[in-house]
């Protein structure tokens, strides 16, 4: 079907709002609808989430507030008679529904063409056995696993692979029903839970402790490919990506590792035949270049939204246009208006995504993090340094924190246990451990977090300790003449320390608390006092754009951030 023949398109939104789906797919669906409108294509949306942007008046031409289930979608198809259907913008729910419609013959019955990635490619990435076979064809390594449909098969597979293993429920969102098992007792309990979510359970050899890396890859129908962004989990394999701090671009990969995984991602997307956008997730051995492909999401994912905002590359918008038949060479980046959609963004800054939990609201809930997602949202922060972006993000997660340091005292009974068995407070446990004298090596052994990240966190603690050494500033500021005091602050050592503190993400309040101002004045006043000092010293932020090629056209992009470098 040619572009000119596509007059009406049905877009499947996400399922009902719950942890692991729906909210994060509002971005992708809204962008796809925007792309359809720009092309003059009539859009029909099925989405039960009345609070989403994509269901707002004027975004789609018609909205059906119905569950994204085959029986409801068929009735809408029968009534609306769309020319095409988009499956990859509503998460796993939309993908599963699209596969069911295809296999039951509904799409063929009404002559509805699947736009973008073919359904067989979706099936190839969703069915674990098919997925492994397809990647074996091109010599790409996958995690050794066995698909099981009974508890007995699960036991047999675990005995064959050897403990520890991880159980995953196939076709499930947010890692539902998944978990690590070190023995037979844990295996049986986890198998019972996994089968409650899916008829197929995957038993895989555990690679806990390996690095988890993701690549966002785009391909058009002419076989042109680019990698838009790569990301690295702060936590090693064993914690769901939705539960982990994620950093873009990757920080600890060697040049060789980066390009090896990039080349593999492009090889995979071409072989499977995905058209649009996909997400390739890897496990990477921290001690060698050995790797395993964990999974390929043949759809927009939560990571895609992060990658789009981190790079200024509108992934969902471009993916929708590619689904209509365009090539990458036909499209401009709709954010910058100048760069081609065929251009890979270059990041000269760090982006950090931090999950948000509300576990304190639920009595009896386990706070331990694992392969099943519990987070209810996330924040994204941008900075010139990893430390700056991380501290900005920690201030935004709504847990009353001021950054990595200078928070209210957190009571932790057993630091070693809390480091080894991660909870929603893990990052602050690391902070506490560094403050009481744990070395980077000790924390690495307990957490398997890469030493590079831990060294950066120690850097923040070191600056905090240097600030504490200037606690006399709060006292002498009261009896020194203002001009005399500012001259004292201008000394190279103090100026450089205040400048470094801002470069590495300290808020004015954090600095004020570190030097003891909070003991002499109200909490809000402490931050305002530091702000006044640094402004007089000329330590002020600069405004930066996240697409450096758009620097000549500042009016055409809103992707800006403040930094002190």
């Amino acid at each position: 079907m040619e572009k000119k023949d596509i007059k009406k398109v049905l877009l499947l939104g996400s399922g009902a709002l719950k942890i692991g789906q729906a909210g994060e797919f509002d971005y992708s669906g809204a962008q796809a609808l925007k792309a359809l409108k720009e092309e003059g294509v009539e859009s029909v949306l099925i989405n039960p989430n009345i609070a989403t942007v994509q269901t707002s008046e004027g975004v789609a031409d018609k909205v059906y507030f119905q569950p994204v289930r085959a029986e409801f979608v068929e009735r809408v198809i029968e009534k609306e008679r769309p020319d095409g259907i988009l499956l990859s913008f509503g998460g796993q729910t939309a993908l599963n529904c699209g596969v069911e419609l295809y296999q039951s013959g509904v799409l063929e019955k009404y002559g509805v063409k699947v736009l973008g990635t073919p359904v067989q490619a979706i099936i190839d990435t969703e069915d674990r056995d098919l997925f492994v076979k397809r990647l074996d064809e091109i010599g790409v390594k996958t995690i050794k696993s066995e698909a099981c449909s009974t508890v007995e098969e699960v036991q047999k597979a675990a005995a064959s692979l050897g403990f520890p293993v991880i159980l995953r429920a196939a076709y499930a969102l947010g890692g539902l029903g998944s978990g690590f098992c070190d023995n037979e007792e844990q295996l049986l309990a986890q198998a019972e839970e996994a089968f409650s979510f899916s008829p197929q359970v995957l038993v895989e050899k555990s690679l806990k402790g390996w690095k988890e890396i993701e690549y966002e890859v785009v391909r058009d129908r002419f076989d042109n490919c680019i990698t838009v962004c790569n990301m690295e989990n702060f936590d090693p394999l064993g914690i769901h990506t939705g539960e982990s701090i994620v950093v873009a671009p990757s920080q600890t990969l060697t040049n060789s590792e980066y390009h090896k995984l990039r080349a593999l991602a492009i090889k995979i997307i071409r072989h499977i035949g995905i058209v649009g956008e996909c997400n390739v997730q890897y496990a990477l051995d921290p001690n060698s270049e050995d790797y395993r492909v964990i999974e390929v999401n043949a759809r927009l994912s939560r990571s895609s939204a992060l990658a789009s905002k981190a790079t200024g590359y509108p992934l969902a918008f471009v993916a929708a246009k590619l689904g209509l038949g365009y090539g990458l060479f036909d499209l401009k980046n709709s954010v910058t208006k100048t760069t081609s959609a065929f251009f890979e963004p270059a990041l000269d800054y760090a982006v950090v995504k931090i999950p948000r939990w509300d576990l304190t609201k639920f009595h009896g809930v386990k706070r331990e993090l694992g392969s099943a997602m519990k987070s209810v949202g996330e924040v994204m922060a941008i900075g010139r340094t990893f430390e700056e972006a991380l501290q900005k993000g920690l201030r935004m997660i709504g847990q009353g924190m001021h950054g990595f340091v200078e928070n209210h005292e957190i009571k932790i009974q057993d630091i070693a246990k809390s480091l080894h068995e991660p909870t929603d407070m893990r990052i602050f446990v690391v902070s506490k451990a560094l403050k009481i004298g744990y070395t980077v090596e000790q924390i690495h052994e307990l957490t398997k977090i890469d030493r590079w990240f831990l060294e950066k966190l120690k850097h923040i603690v070191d600056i905090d300790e240097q600030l504490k050494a200037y606690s006399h500033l709060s006292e002498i500021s009261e009896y020194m003449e203002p001009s005399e005091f500012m001259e004292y602050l201008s000394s190279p050592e103090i100026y450089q320390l205040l400048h470094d503190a801002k470069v590495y993400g300290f808020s004015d309040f954090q600095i004020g608390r570190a030097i003891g101002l909070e003991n002499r004045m109200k909490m809000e006043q402490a931050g305002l006092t530091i702000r006044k000092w640094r402004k007089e010293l000329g330590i002020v932020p600069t405004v930066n754009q996240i697409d450096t090629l758009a620097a000549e056209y500042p009016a055409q992009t809103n992707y800006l951030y403040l930094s002190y470098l």
Side-chain angles (χ1 to χ4, degrees):
M1 186 182 287
E2 296 296 320
K3 290 195 291 284
K4 59 183 173 57
D5 299 323
I6 303 171
K7 307 294 184 188
K8 184 189 281 192
V9 169
L10 174 65
L11 186 133
L12 300 187
S14 52
L17 278 167
K18 60 185 178 184
I19 291 174
Q21 68 171 18
E24 60 264 38
F25 300 113
D26 190 23
Y27 157 81
S28 53
Q31 286 284 308
L33 291 166
K34 181 182 169 187
L36 293 175
K37 188 177 284 286
E38 188 173 282
E39 290 300 312
V41 176
E42 186 181 350
S43 58
V44 180
L45 170 68
I46 300 179
N47 190 337
N49 302 315
I50 198 165
T52 50
V53 171
Q54 63 186 261
T55 56
S56 299
E57 188 176 356
V59 179
D61 294 307
K62 285 186 182 175
V63 180
Y64 287 85
F65 292 104
Q66 300 293 336
V68 183
R69 286 166 49 186
E71 59 268 33
F72 292 101
V73 177
E74 182 178 1
R75 289 167 66 183
V76 172
I77 289 173
E78 185 181 9
K79 181 184 176 186
E80 295 291 342
R81 297 301 173 107
D83 303 306
I85 186 169
L86 289 169
L87 308 177
S88 58
F89 298 88
Q92 195 68 45
T93 302
L95 221 54
N96 291 350
C97 180
V99 170
E100 188 178 341
L101 290 167
Y102 172 79
Q103 291 179 331
S104 63
V106 170
L107 299 181
E108 187 181 4
K109 176 182 176 183
Y110 294 101
V112 181
K113 177 179 170 59
V114 175
L115 303 178
T117 300
V119 176
Q120 189 54 53
I122 295 170
I123 294 169
D124 286 347
T125 58
E126 293 296 319
D127 185 297
R128 192 67 194 183
D129 280 343
L130 279 175
F131 177 65
V132 171
K133 285 173 186 170
R134 292 287 279 150
L135 265 58
D136 279 346
E137 291 168 4
I138 53 173
V140 172
K141 296 180 183 178
T142 52
I143 296 175
K144 193 175 180 185
S145 67
E146 294 186 28
C148 307
S149 52
T150 66
V151 174
E152 291 72 25
E153 287 181 14
V154 167
Q155 288 176 294
K156 188 177 176 183
S160 169
L161 293 169
F163 289 106
V165 295
I166 179 174
L167 264 59
R168 298 179 189 272
Y171 304 99
L173 265 163
L176 285 173
S178 69
F180 290 90
C181 308
D182 294 319
N183 53 52
E184 192 78 13
E185 185 183 351
Q186 291 177 1
L187 183 79
L188 291 172
Q190 195 62 55
E192 186 179 345
E193 182 184 348
F195 278 119
S196 69
F197 290 106
S198 174
Q200 187 188 66
V201 172
L202 311 171
V203 184
E204 299 175 350
K205 185 67 180 169
S206 170
L207 297 177
K208 213 170 185 178
W210 286 31
K211 294 181 185 182
E212 190 164 352
I213 312 290
E214 296 180 58
Y215 280 73
E216 296 294 327
V217 196
V218 175
R219 176 180 176 269
D220 65 21
R221 66 191 180 102
F222 304 104
D223 208 25
N224 298 305
C225 297
I226 62 168
T227 55
V228 170
C229 183
N230 91 315
M231 291 164 275
E232 175 175 11
N233 284 17
F234 173 84
D235 297 291
L237 203 69
I239 294 177
H240 191 282
T241 299
E243 305 286 78
S244 178
I245 293 171
V246 176
V247 187
S250 60
Q251 301 293 316
T252 73
L253 298 191
T254 64
N255 191 51
S256 173
E257 288 169 338
Y258 171 84
H259 285 289
K260 178 178 181 176
L261 297 184
R262 179 186 178 276
L264 283 168
I266 291 173
K267 188 176 182 180
I268 290 165
I269 192 174
R270 280 180 167 153
H271 184 66
I272 292 175
I274 289 165
V275 176
E277 192 271 351
C278 87
N279 166 266
V280 183
Q281 296 178 22
Y282 296 99
L284 180 69
D285 184 356
N287 302 312
S288 72
E289 287 193 3
D290 195 14
Y291 73 91
R292 298 291 184 276
V293 174
I294 301 170
E295 65 177 351
V296 174
N297 284 316
R299 57 175 172 84
L300 278 294
S301 65
R302 173 181 279 205
S303 300
S304 310
L306 172 65
S308 296
K309 293 165 189 172
T311 61
Y313 189 102
L315 273 168
F317 185 88
V318 169
K321 290 284 183 110
L322 298 181
L324 292 174
Y326 283 98
L328 281 165
F329 47 82
D330 293 321
L331 304 174
K332 288 264 189 233
N333 182 321
S334 60
V335 174
T336 65
K337 312 289 190 204
T338 56
T339 51
S340 165
F342 212 165
F343 177 78
E344 292 190 356
L347 278 68
D348 58 350
Y349 48 88
V351 176
V352 174
K353 179 220 83 174
I354 303 176
R356 158 71 194 262
W357 294 271
D358 273 335
L359 301 182
T360 49
K361 291 182 179 178
F362 305 101
H363 296 292
V365 70
K366 291 182 179 178
R367 300 187 79 107
E368 290 78 19
L369 305 182
S371 56
M373 201 162 80
K374 296 178 182 176
S375 65
V376 295
E378 58 196 29
V379 300
M380 186 189 89
I382 307 176
R384 281 299 218 187
T385 64
F386 167 73
E387 295 97 316
E388 180 192 7
L390 179 79
Q391 294 222 81
K392 281 181 178 178
L394 292 174
R395 283 195 281 278
M396 292 191 291
I397 54 175
Q399 290 183 323
M401 301 301 181
H402 299 287
F404 184 65
V405 291
E406 296 304 337
N407 301 305
H408 290 298
E409 192 64 25
I410 301 167
K411 292 182 174 64
I412 302 158
Q413 292 181 333
D414 187 338
I415 293 229
K417 183 173 185 263
S418 297
L419 288 171
H420 185 61
E421 299 171 7
T423 68
D424 55 319
M425 298 299 286
R426 181 180 218 187
I427 188 71
F428 301 110
V429 175
V430 173
S431 175
K432 177 93 172 176
L434 287 167
K435 282 182 200 167
I436 65 172
Y438 274 67
T439 65
V440 164
E441 195 57 38
Q442 285 173 316
I443 298 172
H444 170 72
E445 286 303 316
L446 288 164
T447 63
K448 299 305 178 191
I449 295 169
D450 193 275
R451 293 176 184 85
W452 187 92
F453 291 122
L454 296 176
E455 290 286 359
K456 296 296 180 184
L457 297 180
K458 186 176 183 300
H459 184 212
I460 296 173
V461 172
D462 289 344
I463 292 174
D464 190 47
E465 291 302 316
Q466 290 171 41
L467 286 168
K468 288 182 188 300
Y470 284 90
S471 57
H472 63 281
L473 286 177
S474 61
E475 184 181 342
I476 64 173
S477 66
E478 294 182 3
Y479 66 76
M480 273 181 126
E481 286 293 324
S483 58
E484 187 184 2
F485 180 67
M486 289 314 299
E487 188 176 343
Y488 181 74
L489 281 184
S490 300
S491 67
E493 297 82 7
I494 298 176
Y495 176 90
Q496 193 60 49
L497 180 57
L498 290 173
H499 182 268
D500 287 350
K502 296 305 294 182
V503 164
Y504 295 108
F506 281 74
S507 68
D508 293 333
F509 173 75
Q510 274 178 296
I511 297 171
R513 177 175 273 183
I515 67 171
L517 280 180
E518 199 183 11
N519 300 327
R520 295 177 172 271
M521 56 188 69
K522 289 183 179 177
M523 182 173 159
E524 298 83 4
Q525 196 62 37
L528 290 172
T529 300
I530 295 296
R531 183 171 185 265
K532 181 184 173 201
W533 291 357
R534 66 168 175 80
K535 286 188 80 173
E536 288 192 38
L537 290 170
I539 301 173
V540 292
T542 57
V543 179
N544 301 274
Q545 292 176 273
I546 72 167
D547 191 311
T548 51
L549 283 185
E552 297 174 38
Y553 308 93
Q556 295 183 352
T557 174
N558 294 321
Y559 283 64
L560 307 172
Y561 70 95
L562 294 175
S563 186
Y564 284 82
L565 266 181

